[in-house]
Amino acid sequence: MAGLVNFEDENEVKEFLQNLGVEYSFQCYSEKDPEGCHRLADYMEGVKKDYVSTAQVLKHNCETYGHGESCYKLGTYHIAGKGGVTKCLKTAYSYYMRSCNAGGKKSADACHNIGLLIHDGRAMEGEPDLTAARQYYEKACAGGYAPSCFNLSALFIKGNSIGLAPDMTQAFKYANRACELGHVWGCANASRMYKLGDGTEKNDKKAEELKNRARELQGLEEKPQLKFGE
């Protein structure tokens, strides 16, 4: 059939990829399509391995169109100092913030990363701000990002010295949500809480179910396996 690419033919593949780059560039700069710009960035990164150009396209797409996924990826470039950009956590934080606020596929990931950077204070002046970190973990957890749900559970288990009291009911709520989203340690913690009646009613059946769920997630045959307190 006409139009199909023979991927066993090296010359056809090269021509196809070259045309793809031209198409994405046209979408980005002529049609001013943010999705086309992001596809161009993915093309420059994944096909051309041109990380400097990738960073430039990401910056254009983030700052001109506010494209959440491009802002997120540009943040990751600044974390590593990739593509010729400055390695700077504060700059990464600012792009993650744009992505978090923009919504889209990487919004929850970006909100989680903001929470991490606030939590340990790496991108902030002064001490870590656990109250603010909690807010971004909550936003990411609501967006279905399991590690944020687990981090919230850990915050409520420990509490802190600046106003967050330990709250095992909240700790259980977020551990259970993390488990529902496939987080192995969320399942492990929720299982133990059911076993002890800590933050929820004691329920040996549910404890066993979540213990088995945790083992399924980790892999029954893998070692070392999780160990559960009895």
Side-chain angles (χ1 to χ4, degrees), residues 17-57:
L17 292 176
Q18 183 176 353
N19 290 339
L20 203 59
V22 171
E23 179 182 346
Y24 293 158
S25 183
F26 181 81
Q27 290 173 0
C28 179
Y29 296 112
S30 295
E31 297 182 341
K32 303 186 186 305
D33 176 11
E35 291 298 328
C37 291
H38 194 70
R39 285 190 286 269
L40 177 61
D42 283 344
Y43 171 84
M44 298 306 297
E45 181 183 62
V47 176
K48 292 296 188 178
K49 310 298 182 186
D50 183 345
Y51 304 115
V52 172
S53 294
T54 300
Q56 292 170 350
V57 176

Side-chain angles (χ1 to χ4, degrees), residues 55 59 83 105 122:
K59 183 178 177 69
K105 295 178 182 178
R122 284 182 294 168

Side-chain angles (χ1 to χ4, degrees), residues 29 42 82 98 109 157:
Y29 296 112
D42 283 344
K82 188 175 180 179
R98 292 190 186 199
D109 304 61
I157 289 173

Side-chain angles (χ1 to χ4, degrees), residues 83-105:
V85 304
T86 304
K87 186 175 182 178
C88 179
L89 295 181
K90 288 184 179 180
T91 305
Y93 173 90
S94 71
Y95 285 118
Y96 286 144
M97 185 65 75
R98 292 190 186 199
S99 179
C100 177
N101 292 332
K105 295 178 182 178

Side-chain angles (χ1 to χ4, degrees), residues 87-189:
K87 186 175 182 178
C88 179
L89 295 181
K90 288 184 179 180
T91 305
Y93 173 90
S94 71
Y95 285 118
Y96 286 144
M97 185 65 75
R98 292 190 186 199
S99 179
C100 177
N101 292 332
K105 295 178 182 178
K106 286 296 185 179
S107 176
D109 304 61
C111 294
H112 176 76
N113 286 355
I114 292 169
L116 291 176
L117 290 170
I118 297 174
H119 193 160
D120 65 12
R122 284 182 294 168
M124 310 299 292
E125 298 292 342
E127 296 297 318
D129 187 342
L130 299 190
T131 301
R134 172 188 168 186
Q135 294 173 352
Y136 285 101
Y137 287 148
E138 286 174 343
K139 188 171 182 179
C141 180
Y145 197 75
S148 273
C149 302
F150 179 77
N151 285 5
L152 284 166
S153 178
L155 282 178
F156 280 111
I157 289 173
K158 297 177 182 178
N160 63 63
S161 61
I162 55 173
L164 181 64
D167 185 334
M168 294 307 295
T169 300
Q170 288 289 89
F172 170 77
K173 168 188 168 183
Y174 286 115
N176 196 52
R177 180 56 179 150
C179 180
E180 291 173 349
L181 293 168
H183 195 287
V184 60
W185 292 106
C187 295
N189 283 2

